[in-house]
Amino acid sequence: MRQVNLIYERSVPGRKGCTLPDTVKKKPEILAAIPAKFHRGAPAALPEVTEGEAMRHFVGLSVKNHHIDKGFYPLGSCTMKYNPRLNDQAASMDGFTAHHPLAPCSSARGILRLMWDLSDYLSEVSGFAAVSLQPVAGAHGEFAGLLIMRACHEHNGQKRNKIIIPDSAHGTNPASVTSVGFQSVQVKSNDKGVIPPEAVAEVMDDEVAGMMLTNPNTLGIFETHIKEIADIVHQAGGLMYMDGANLNANMGIFRPGEVGFDIMHFNLHKTFSTPHGGGGPGAGAIGVTAELEKFLPFPVLEKDDKGQLFFSYDRPYSIGRLHSFYGNFANIVRAYAYIRTLGGSGLRRVSENAVLNANYLKVLLKDEFELPYDVHCMHEFVISGNRQKAVGVKTLDISKRLLDFGVHPPTNYFPLIVPEAMMIEPTETESRETLDYFATVMKQIAAEVKDNPELVTSAPHSTPVRRLDEVGAARNLDVAYPE
Ligand SMILES: *Cc1c(COP(=O)(O)O)cnc(C)c1O
């Protein structure tokens, strides 16, 4: 017998899940206040089910998807770690959620104080003199940072339009460069997976506005020549931008603002306790050096002569406003709560354990899978499915097979410089047992590739849906219940 699991199919006339207070009947003035054209003529065609059935419906939907609360999620570059519920609880407090965004600063003292303190903590973690919490995504932070570069050069009477980007950069880097109207110039990483200073010197000229570097880079490798590269760029009048999305590897260990970077974005929704990858709102704070502070987006939090915080709009050099109100404020609260619960030493342990977990897993996997850069990694590493591809099983097939074991696949086919790439980021919140389980599953799949490749190429076998036409689903999205 087919299991009835769609809530409309479970509907039985007259069944009730709950009874709402009959406010409208008791207070006719409420109804009268709503224009007649908005009154409903007939009851809405909602499914009629008990509360228990409604519960089963929603829980059933939630377990059809993979999520971090259900299983391991080693999606490289995304830092899919467990985000403590305590931080969600803090972000849902009435004092934050019920505050009207148009209320005056004088009634938002606590909120402004939280933003001020968080900016301070992020300065401390990153080594930058000033932080803006306004950008609402990593890419938005990049966009802001590049606008600041342009504003700074224009302020100095210079017209520069090129940005140097490594071949291992995240796709958002060149996209942001184009959005701002700059052109990107690519430099190649060497056989150790890092950018050699000579490669930068070769393309550096007086049209270069700056360079964007990710550290650790998208191979999970620490860029070892930052100082020399920054000197080359600075001597020729350029600025250094760090893509800080991988900050989970650096906290308490390396401060980008101290080694020659001028601007950096944080991904609060990767490193600082907002789940990433669910398509929810992000927060991409940026940090800058003291020299660039005047270009930050306005309004900027300042203290008046009585020490009270207010939003200053009097910023003649600012690149302007990038987002309304306070940015994505709930993410800001979560980041604040996360930092306050862990403290400085806790943040350092986060990074140490993220790096330890990645190196542990890398060693477990390197016999069965090609490891193109066999060096000490930071918080993530990249293996290649080349060996498996040679016998007809693609990285995509391996990823689909992983779903049968309740594991989310790693990031596939990125970075582009590694063929059949699988980028694995275990994060610090996973136990040794989980890492061992993942390694065992990966080894089993490698064995299946040899003995029973069909099993892998036809996977997944146990998910609610099999292989989907992902392009079709994106182009012709239809989430309505079939009539
Ligand atoms: C995630 C990520 C970004 C972009 O961040 P979004 O918030 O998704 O815009 C940029 N660079 C790297 C290395 C990333 O991992």
Side-chain angles (χ1 to χ4, degrees):
M1 197 180 130
R2 200 169 75 87
Q3 195 191 349
V4 177
N5 57 12
L6 282 165
I7 199 160
Y8 279 93
E9 293 177 24
R10 282 186 184 168
S11 181
V12 174
R15 258 187 206 160
K16 271 203 166 74
C18 61
T19 315
L20 295 174
D22 216 346
T23 322
V24 172
K25 257 190 214 148
K26 279 188 212 130
K27 294 195 175 167
E29 68 272 20
I30 295 182
L31 199 59
I34 302 170
K37 64 174 175 181
F38 295 124
H39 291 194
R40 203 190 287 284
L46 295 174
E48 297 178 69
V49 293
T50 63
E51 183 175 323
E53 281 170 318
M55 205 65 184
R56 282 188 186 156
H57 169 70
F58 286 112
V59 172
L61 286 181
S62 79
V63 296
K64 283 198 167 80
N65 257 331
H66 192 88
H67 45 86
I68 188 71
D69 295 329
K70 186 175 163 190
F72 188 40
Y73 208 138
L75 191 66
S77 210
C78 287
T79 313
M80 297 300 293
K81 55 176 160 183
Y82 175 72
N83 294 297
R85 287 300 178 273
L86 180 67
N87 306 327
D88 274 329
Q89 213 179 324
S92 342
M93 284 163 70
D94 284 350
F96 297 132
T97 57
H99 187 82
H100 197 285
L102 287 174
C105 286
S106 58
S107 77
R109 297 265 178 247
I111 286 174
L112 300 187
R113 170 73 194 278
L114 181 142
M115 295 177 75
W116 177 269
D117 286 352
L118 177 62
S119 306
D120 231 26
Y121 303 154
L122 294 177
S123 282
E124 178 75 21
V125 169
S126 63
F128 286 101
V131 166
S132 165
L133 303 174
Q134 201 177 105
V136 290
H140 205 205
E142 293 168 20
F143 182 70
L146 291 166
L147 287 178
I148 289 174
M149 274 198 198
R150 191 171 68 188
C152 172
H153 291 309
E154 280 174 5
H155 179 67
N156 296 331
Q158 294 187 357
K159 237 187 136 32
R160 292 171 175 252
N161 63 358
K162 294 195 289 194
I163 301 285
I164 302 173
I165 296 184
D167 55 358
S168 58
H170 194 265
T172 50
N173 292 189
S176 300
V177 166
T178 306
S179 306
V180 172
F182 286 141
Q183 282 159 19
S184 39
V185 179
Q186 205 189 66
V187 286
K188 283 194 167 29
S189 32
N190 64 18
D191 58 356
K192 295 195 177 63
V194 298
I195 298 296
E198 309 81 70
V200 177
E202 224 165 82
V203 294
M204 196 64 215
D205 61 28
D206 61 7
E207 286 177 21
V208 171
M211 172 164 187
M212 295 178 92
L213 198 62
T214 309
N215 194 42
N217 62 32
T218 56
L219 293 165
I221 300 173
F222 197 89
E223 289 286 349
T224 37
H225 305 291
I226 297 168
K227 182 79 176 68
E228 294 134 280
I229 291 173
D231 286 348
I232 292 168
V233 172
H234 286 151
Q235 270 158 26
L239 292 165
M240 286 294 286
Y241 183 96
M242 187 171 121
D243 177 332
N246 292 339
L247 198 70
N248 216 46
N250 293 334
M251 292 183 292
I253 298 166
F254 153 73
R255 295 209 285 189
E258 287 177 350
V259 296
F261 287 106
D262 302 289
I263 312 171
M264 182 188 100
H265 79 260
F266 303 80
N267 274 71
L268 297 189
H269 55 283
K270 288 178 183 171
T271 319
F272 296 100
S273 191
T274 290
H276 178 59
I286 52 170
V288 295
T289 57
E291 296 74 49
L292 297 177
E293 200 255 336
K294 63 176 177 233
F295 301 111
L296 283 177
F298 67 65
V300 171
L301 268 184
E302 286 178 17
K303 278 191 174 156
D304 65 18
D305 44 16
K306 291 194 203 78
Q308 301 280 27
L309 288 166
F310 71 102
F311 275 129
S312 167
Y313 291 81
D314 183 16
R315 308 280 299 181
Y317 301 101
S318 168
I319 57 166
R321 187 164 200 154
L322 296 170
H323 197 75
S324 51
F325 304 117
Y326 305 104
N328 279 330
F329 185 67
N331 294 17
I332 291 172
V333 179
R334 284 189 202 95
Y336 174 88
Y338 183 71
I339 294 176
R340 287 302 300 263
T341 33
L342 287 171
S345 59
L347 291 181
R348 186 184 165 107
R349 275 208 310 282
V350 163
S351 291
E352 286 172 349
N353 285 322
V355 172
L356 180 65
N357 276 359
N359 278 284
Y360 177 74
L361 198 50
K362 182 190 70 184
V363 171
L364 293 183
L365 295 179
K366 74 184 214 179
D367 290 340
E368 301 299 335
F369 295 89
E370 209 174 282
L371 180 65
Y373 299 91
D374 191 359
V375 292
H376 177 80
C377 69
M378 298 296 289
H379 66 307
E380 65 190 358
F381 60 97
V382 178
I383 56 174
S384 162
N386 254 346
R387 248 178 246 166
Q388 289 72 23
K389 172 86 180 293
V391 295
V393 179
K394 301 190 294 279
T395 283
L396 182 73
D397 301 320
I398 296 173
S399 288
K400 295 294 180 196
R401 181 72 179 129
L402 273 170
L403 296 171
D404 286 332
F405 296 92
V407 170
H408 194 284
T411 296
N412 282 188
Y413 301 106
F414 182 78
L416 305 174
I417 49 177
V418 175
E420 298 298 310
M422 282 175 264
M423 184 195 221
I424 301 174
E425 180 181 4
T427 82
E428 74 284 0
T429 56
E430 297 300 337
S431 66
R432 181 173 172 178
E433 290 73 21
T434 300
L435 304 182
D436 288 341
Y437 171 71
F438 178 69
T440 309
V441 168
M442 286 294 279
K443 284 179 193 168
Q444 179 176 328
I445 296 174
E448 289 170 358
V449 168
K450 289 179 198 144
D451 307 335
N452 188 3
E454 277 275 285
L455 184 63
V456 185
T457 53
S458 59
H461 304 280
S462 62
T463 46
V465 287
R466 306 282 298 273
R467 294 204 188 190
L468 299 171
D469 173 4
E470 289 171 23
V471 177
R475 298 245 165 97
N476 310 305
L477 185 68
D478 179 6
V479 294
Y481 181 74
E483 294 281 332

